[in-house]
mmCIF file of all heavy atoms in Angstrom:
data_model
loop_
_atom_site.group_PDB
_atom_site.id
_atom_site.type_symbol
_atom_site.label_atom_id
_atom_site.label_comp_id
_atom_site.label_asym_id
_atom_site.label_seq_id
_atom_site.Cartn_x
_atom_site.Cartn_y
_atom_site.Cartn_z
ATOM 1 N N ASP A 444 -4.874 -3.334 -1.830
ATOM 2 C CA ASP A 444 -5.705 -2.146 -2.002
ATOM 3 C C ASP A 444 -4.798 -0.925 -2.212
ATOM 4 O O ASP A 444 -4.029 -0.576 -1.323
ATOM 5 C CB ASP A 444 -6.588 -1.984 -0.750
ATOM 6 C CG ASP A 444 -7.322 -0.646 -0.729
ATOM 7 O OD1 ASP A 444 -7.227 0.110 -1.711
ATOM 8 O OD2 ASP A 444 -7.988 -0.366 0.280
ATOM 9 N N PRO A 445 -4.863 -0.308 -3.401
ATOM 10 C CA PRO A 445 -3.985 0.831 -3.653
ATOM 11 C C PRO A 445 -4.456 2.030 -2.854
ATOM 12 O O PRO A 445 -5.385 2.714 -3.249
ATOM 13 C CB PRO A 445 -4.115 1.070 -5.154
ATOM 14 C CG PRO A 445 -5.443 0.479 -5.529
ATOM 15 C CD PRO A 445 -5.781 -0.574 -4.515
ATOM 16 N N GLY A 446 -3.854 2.307 -1.746
ATOM 17 C CA GLY A 446 -4.315 3.377 -0.869
ATOM 18 C C GLY A 446 -4.293 2.871 0.561
ATOM 19 O O GLY A 446 -4.781 3.530 1.467
ATOM 20 N N ALA A 447 -3.730 1.697 0.772
ATOM 21 C CA ALA A 447 -3.663 1.103 2.104
ATOM 22 C C ALA A 447 -2.212 0.772 2.429
ATOM 23 O O ALA A 447 -1.493 0.296 1.563
ATOM 24 C CB ALA A 447 -4.515 -0.162 2.153
ATOM 25 N N PHE A 448 -1.811 1.046 3.667
ATOM 26 C CA PHE A 448 -0.415 0.738 4.013
ATOM 27 C C PHE A 448 -0.254 0.346 5.475
ATOM 28 O O PHE A 448 0.799 0.509 6.071
ATOM 29 C CB PHE A 448 0.504 1.916 3.646
ATOM 30 C CG PHE A 448 0.071 3.250 4.199
ATOM 31 C CD1 PHE A 448 0.601 3.719 5.394
ATOM 32 C CD2 PHE A 448 -0.858 4.028 3.527
ATOM 33 C CE1 PHE A 448 0.207 4.941 5.909
ATOM 34 C CE2 PHE A 448 -1.258 5.259 4.039
ATOM 35 C CZ PHE A 448 -0.735 5.722 5.226
ATOM 36 N N SER A 602 -5.664 8.855 3.785
ATOM 37 C CA SER A 602 -4.910 9.590 2.759
ATOM 38 C C SER A 602 -5.874 10.327 1.844
ATOM 39 O O SER A 602 -7.072 10.364 2.095
ATOM 40 C CB SER A 602 -4.035 8.632 1.952
ATOM 41 O OG SER A 602 -4.853 7.782 1.182
ATOM 42 N N CYS B 351 3.524 5.849 -9.049
ATOM 43 C CA CYS B 351 2.335 5.302 -8.421
ATOM 44 C C CYS B 351 1.069 5.867 -9.055
ATOM 45 O O CYS B 351 0.942 7.070 -9.244
ATOM 46 C CB CYS B 351 2.313 5.590 -6.930
ATOM 47 S SG CYS B 351 0.847 4.891 -6.168
ATOM 48 N N GLN B 352 0.153 4.960 -9.377
ATOM 49 C CA GLN B 352 -1.164 5.356 -9.871
ATOM 50 C C GLN B 352 -2.237 4.775 -8.957
ATOM 51 O O GLN B 352 -3.324 4.434 -9.409
ATOM 52 C CB GLN B 352 -1.367 4.855 -11.312
ATOM 53 C CG GLN B 352 -0.378 5.412 -12.317
ATOM 54 C CD GLN B 352 -0.666 6.858 -12.687
ATOM 55 O OE1 GLN B 352 -1.603 7.465 -12.181
ATOM 56 N NE2 GLN B 352 0.161 7.429 -13.556
ATOM 57 N N GLY B 353 -1.898 4.624 -7.688
ATOM 58 C CA GLY B 353 -2.872 4.112 -6.722
ATOM 59 C C GLY B 353 -3.939 5.154 -6.430
ATOM 60 O O GLY B 353 -3.885 6.278 -6.931
ATOM 61 N N THR B 354 -4.886 4.776 -5.573
ATOM 62 C CA THR B 354 -6.033 5.643 -5.326
ATOM 63 C C THR B 354 -5.631 7.005 -4.750
ATOM 64 O O THR B 354 -6.058 8.046 -5.232
ATOM 65 C CB THR B 354 -6.995 4.965 -4.341
ATOM 66 O OG1 THR B 354 -7.101 3.595 -4.702
ATOM 67 C CG2 THR B 354 -8.354 5.609 -4.386
ATOM 68 N N ALA B 355 -4.808 6.971 -3.709
ATOM 69 C CA ALA B 355 -4.448 8.227 -3.043
ATOM 70 C C ALA B 355 -3.657 9.113 -4.000
ATOM 71 O O ALA B 355 -3.874 10.325 -4.071
ATOM 72 C CB ALA B 355 -3.636 7.935 -1.786
ATOM 73 N N CYS B 356 -2.752 8.513 -4.754
ATOM 74 C CA CYS B 356 -1.950 9.295 -5.698
ATOM 75 C C CYS B 356 -2.828 9.836 -6.824
ATOM 76 O O CYS B 356 -2.661 10.968 -7.268
ATOM 77 C CB CYS B 356 -0.809 8.451 -6.250
ATOM 78 S SG CYS B 356 0.454 8.127 -4.999
ATOM 79 N N HIS B 357 -3.795 9.029 -7.253
ATOM 80 C CA HIS B 357 -4.729 9.478 -8.287
ATOM 81 C C HIS B 357 -5.487 10.711 -7.804
ATOM 82 O O HIS B 357 -5.577 11.716 -8.508
ATOM 83 C CB HIS B 357 -5.696 8.342 -8.627
ATOM 84 C CG HIS B 357 -6.824 8.742 -9.525
ATOM 85 N ND1 HIS B 357 -6.662 8.870 -10.881
ATOM 86 C CD2 HIS B 357 -8.110 9.069 -9.251
ATOM 87 C CE1 HIS B 357 -7.825 9.265 -11.412
ATOM 88 N NE2 HIS B 357 -8.712 9.382 -10.441
ATOM 89 N N VAL B 390 2.709 1.893 -11.447
ATOM 90 C CA VAL B 390 2.419 0.849 -10.470
ATOM 91 C C VAL B 390 1.239 1.306 -9.608
ATOM 92 O O VAL B 390 0.872 2.471 -9.613
ATOM 93 C CB VAL B 390 3.631 0.529 -9.567
ATOM 94 C CG1 VAL B 390 4.799 0.029 -10.367
ATOM 95 C CG2 VAL B 390 4.040 1.756 -8.751
ATOM 96 N N ALA B 391 0.668 0.343 -8.896
ATOM 97 C CA ALA B 391 -0.475 0.668 -8.051
ATOM 98 C C ALA B 391 -0.061 0.616 -6.599
ATOM 99 O O ALA B 391 0.009 -0.441 -6.015
ATOM 100 C CB ALA B 391 -1.612 -0.310 -8.302
ATOM 101 N N CYS B 392 0.237 1.737 -6.041
ATOM 102 C CA CYS B 392 0.511 1.926 -4.614
ATOM 103 C C CYS B 392 1.878 1.452 -4.158
ATOM 104 O O CYS B 392 2.227 0.285 -4.248
ATOM 105 C CB CYS B 392 -0.543 1.264 -3.727
ATOM 106 S SG CYS B 392 -0.424 1.894 -2.032
ATOM 107 N N LEU B 393 2.637 2.396 -3.667
ATOM 108 C CA LEU B 393 3.955 2.103 -3.098
ATOM 109 C C LEU B 393 3.890 2.144 -1.576
ATOM 110 O O LEU B 393 4.906 2.053 -0.900
ATOM 111 C CB LEU B 393 4.978 3.113 -3.619
ATOM 112 C CG LEU B 393 5.223 3.022 -5.131
ATOM 113 C CD1 LEU B 393 5.919 4.268 -5.649
ATOM 114 C CD2 LEU B 393 6.051 1.791 -5.468
ATOM 115 N N GLY B 394 2.679 2.296 -1.048
ATOM 116 C CA GLY B 394 2.519 2.265 0.406
ATOM 117 C C GLY B 394 2.926 3.547 1.105
ATOM 118 O O GLY B 394 3.101 3.565 2.312
ATOM 119 N N CYS B 395 3.102 4.621 0.360
ATOM 120 C CA CYS B 395 3.415 5.922 0.979
ATOM 121 C C CYS B 395 2.273 6.883 0.694
ATOM 122 O O CYS B 395 2.489 8.080 0.415
ATOM 123 C CB CYS B 395 4.714 6.485 0.438
ATOM 124 S SG CYS B 395 6.134 5.531 0.954
ATOM 125 N N CYS B 396 1.053 6.367 0.755
ATOM 126 C CA CYS B 396 -0.121 7.082 0.276
ATOM 127 C C CYS B 396 -0.323 8.446 0.916
ATOM 128 O O CYS B 396 -0.879 9.341 0.298
ATOM 129 C CB CYS B 396 -1.355 6.248 0.498
ATOM 130 S SG CYS B 396 -1.103 4.502 0.195
ATOM 131 N N SER B 397 0.092 8.609 2.177
ATOM 132 C CA SER B 397 -0.184 9.900 2.798
ATOM 133 C C SER B 397 0.849 10.951 2.395
ATOM 134 O O SER B 397 0.777 12.084 2.835
ATOM 135 C CB SER B 397 -0.294 9.786 4.313
ATOM 136 O OG SER B 397 0.693 8.931 4.792
ATOM 137 N N LEU B 398 1.815 10.558 1.562
ATOM 138 C CA LEU B 398 2.753 11.541 1.011
ATOM 139 C C LEU B 398 2.587 11.616 -0.500
ATOM 140 O O LEU B 398 3.523 11.893 -1.235
ATOM 141 C CB LEU B 398 4.192 11.153 1.355
ATOM 142 C CG LEU B 398 4.522 11.031 2.844
ATOM 143 C CD1 LEU B 398 5.913 10.471 3.037
ATOM 144 C CD2 LEU B 398 4.420 12.388 3.508
ATOM 145 N N SER B 399 1.378 11.313 -0.967
ATOM 146 C CA SER B 399 1.159 11.197 -2.403
ATOM 147 C C SER B 399 1.135 12.572 -3.070
ATOM 148 O O SER B 399 0.845 13.564 -2.391
ATOM 149 C CB SER B 399 -0.153 10.457 -2.656
ATOM 150 O OG SER B 399 -1.204 11.085 -1.969
ATOM 151 N N PRO B 400 1.380 12.671 -4.388
ATOM 152 C CA PRO B 400 1.786 11.570 -5.268
ATOM 153 C C PRO B 400 3.256 11.174 -5.094
ATOM 154 O O PRO B 400 4.085 11.996 -4.726
ATOM 155 C CB PRO B 400 1.535 12.138 -6.664
ATOM 156 C CG PRO B 400 1.393 13.604 -6.524
ATOM 157 C CD PRO B 400 1.139 13.921 -5.103
ATOM 158 N N VAL B 401 3.494 9.906 -5.408
ATOM 159 C CA VAL B 401 4.769 9.291 -5.091
ATOM 160 C C VAL B 401 5.353 8.579 -6.303
ATOM 161 O O VAL B 401 4.622 8.027 -7.120
ATOM 162 C CB VAL B 401 4.551 8.224 -3.983
ATOM 163 C CG1 VAL B 401 5.843 7.529 -3.639
ATOM 164 C CG2 VAL B 401 3.954 8.842 -2.732
HETATM 165 S S1 FES C 228 -1.680 5.270 -3.633
HETATM 166 FE FE1 FES C 228 0.269 5.979 -4.259
HETATM 167 S S2 FES C 228 1.522 5.291 -2.635
HETATM 168 FE FE2 FES C 228 -0.408 4.439 -2.125
#
Side-chain angles (χ1 to χ4, degrees):
Chain A
D444 170 5
F448 52 95
S602 68
Chain B
C351 181
Q352 299 285 1
T354 318
C356 289
H357 171 79
V390 299
C392 195
L393 295 164
C395 292
C396 321
S397 41
L398 301 173
S399 54
V401 179

